[in-house]
Amino acid sequence: MEVFFINLIAATFRVSTPILLAAIGETFTERAGILNLGIEGIMFFGAFVGFFAADLSGSLWFGLFLAVISGVLSGLLMGLFSVSLGVNQHVSGLGITVLLTGLSLFGFRLQYGGRSTPPSIEPFQQINPFANIPILSTITQQYLLTYITFLVIVPLAGWILYRTRYGLHIRAVGDNPEAVDAAGVNVYAIRYSTLAIGGGLIAAGGAFLSLAQLGAFSHGIVSGRGWVAIAIVIFGNWIPLKVMFGALIFGGTYALQLRLQAMGLKLPIPYETFLALPYVVTIIALVVAGRNASYPAALLKPYRRE
Amino acid sequence: MNVVEMNAITKYFGEMVANDHVDFDLRKGEIHALLGENGAGKTTLMRILYGLYKQDSGGVQINGKAVQINSPKDSIANNIGMVTQHFALVPPMTVAENVILGHTNRFVLDYDAAESSVADAARKYGLDINPRAMVRHLSVGQRQRVEILKALYRNSRVLILDEPTAVLIPQEVDVLFETLRKLVDDGLSVVFISHKLDEVTNITNRITILRDGKSIGTVDTCDMSHNQLAALMIRQASFHVNNKIAEIKKSRSLLNIKSLSALDDQGLPALRDINLTVHTGEILGIAGVSGNGQKQLAETLCGVRNCTEGEIKLDGITLNGKTAGEFTTSGMGRIPEDRLEGVVGELTVQENLALEHLYQFSNKGFLNHKAIQKHANELIVQYQIKARPGDRIRTLSGGNVQKVLLARVLSTQPKIVIAPQPTRGLDVGAADYVRQQLLEQRNRGAGVILISEDLDEILALSDRIAVMYEGKIVGVLDASEANPERLGLLMSGAVKEM
């Protein structure tokens, strides 16, 4: 039983990483007033570009780098529609998801279409700074990217949002862009920059799936994690540290259901039902926490100086 | 020397001219009022100076030098600060964060230093504000002080205040005026946008009067009386309405409003202890500078805004507490103030005409399209609507939309017709048509409440005239004894005639 829980904790961090990356990225854009529904497509695109580039170049880090670049560009495309042209954010976000999903699958077919076995690469290796401490070492056996996400990106995101001038501008733009404009700060530049940062983080989350967790790319690789990340951002009240707890709740339930499936319990319900568990938990958490959510007041509103 | 000089500023919004070759100058150390009715172009002119709008022609000089102001960044660099009517504050952030927003050179913020420098500035200018307080917890008056502090913190030497007293209670107004006097003693110059005569004469040195986007002139405050200012400020258009007095069937009282009070959307008192009576076969005009509670009065009288106190009695039936639908079925008919809020642009003319009484045209939830169309065809002829029943409302001109609304309300033969600003934005022909329809309603025996900022319209149509000021009725005159000067004085709040 003890082994079960220690393994579960270790798996929780692994499974949470991609969602947390995407959720932190989305936190940035939503804090500036943009709901980026392109998140699911950008994750998928990042997973594909990362896999493709790593496969061609033989370098996983180059794959990750190109994935982040593709995410930045996707974020800027979202900016073109939702910031410059003032298109409805739901429409432009969903459009980007549809576009990038199609583009990734098309590219995958072109490159790997005729193969009988699905292509794969050698994924990132896990590291372990505490390899010789008994119980702890099972938990600290993680990908470098997981360490970076939890120990660098989350604190850094909080620091930027709450301790820097740039963060002050982001929070203000998401709540009252008129005030920011009247203060002589460029609203569009702030919104574009958060979309670029957010897109890069979201794509990195997707690339984590193909380059670390799986070493492969497939049709269902993201399977709704982008949408879950949006729910987690609301659950976390747009505060990076709380968003991290949200991601851990989802990751923990996901890791748990994987184990429940594998245990072969004799239950009157089909074991696939467990697949729904993390999503159900997310919905419940959202309903409980979402009632007190303090949305950025300017979320979904294009800014125009009349 | 003039701190600010604006020459021949012209600004169009689409076809409409908001500023028409307006000249304006501001001297060092003065409080200069921009006086005019709503829509006269005061705010537009100052938004141009602050860089929120770009003028179509005309130039701006600051301290004698011609400057280009393309955004607030440029005006802030020229030491101009503006407190807009809707505060440019971020409610979930602290006072200090709001003040330093856009005005800090440090990438990493030092909150302690920021808070103490904001506190220093607040003390220096005598503005009582806690820099750590969250803006959303502050009262309106305190928020205004934060806005002024923001401008001063950015070294503004010119301070523009857009209707600063509109949201304040009298005591807060006194504090504000004290602050402003202190600031001009320090050598600042203040532009004070207002339509309230007593405040303008109380605090300013000079006054520039705008009317319909044009500057009427600049005068020294001490030379002018309320009377003269009111006459300058209020538009004197002329128009023609056929036969004002048909024969008035001597009337009985129809609508009784007793000590009615209501709040506005911000929860501030909008109507205070209003007593009015409307008789059958009369038009009661309600005059007043806009924003003095007329909108809320119209909304309360048709049941879409709840009153906090008082009684509305129509033909002996108490209406307050009932739903808007029950107001309508009891005989209250309102022509919506905002035309586009009263119709659904994507629906057709016939659908909009049937919208408020769908129960007449439906059976078990299914619409009877033939009846709807027949009804629409009749009304289109009767009210001279230039459209087909199947046209979408959004393709119609403003005048025709207004006719659709008139047709919808008047075809039910309401006992009381409430018409807030019924001719605003209409061309002369359409406006005359609307006025004629109101007169016909009166002649049919209905009571008409005409709310208008257009004094000539009020004078030409009304049988009696009530004047609103700050949510109160400050006077009720018979049409025969009313004239623009007398009404202007009442509208300015300078006198009362009960």
Side-chain angles (χ1 to χ4, degrees), chain B residues 25 28 44-45 60 84 86 127 130 139 164-165 180 197 209 223 244 258 266 274 353 359 369 375 412 466 477 498:
Chain B
D25 65 270
K28 187 170 173 357
T44 304
L45 186 68
V60 177
T84 49
H86 296 280
L127 294 158
N130 173 10
S139 73
T165 60
L180 294 184
L197 289 175
I209 300 136
D223 296 344
K244 181 179 164 190
K258 278 205 194 101
Q266 277 78 46
I274 287 192
L353 282 171
Y359 55 91
H369 276 285
H375 170 75
T412 61
L477 307 176
M498 290 304 285

Side-chain angles (χ1 to χ4, degrees), chain A residues 162-163 165 171 175-176 179 182, chain B residues 50 88-89 92 97 107 109 111:
Chain A
Y162 287 98
R163 291 281 140 191
R165 182 182 58 196
R171 288 184 288 135
D175 212 80
N176 187 354
Chain B
Y50 192 59
L89 293 172
E97 283 179 309
F107 180 73
L109 299 175
Y111 278 98

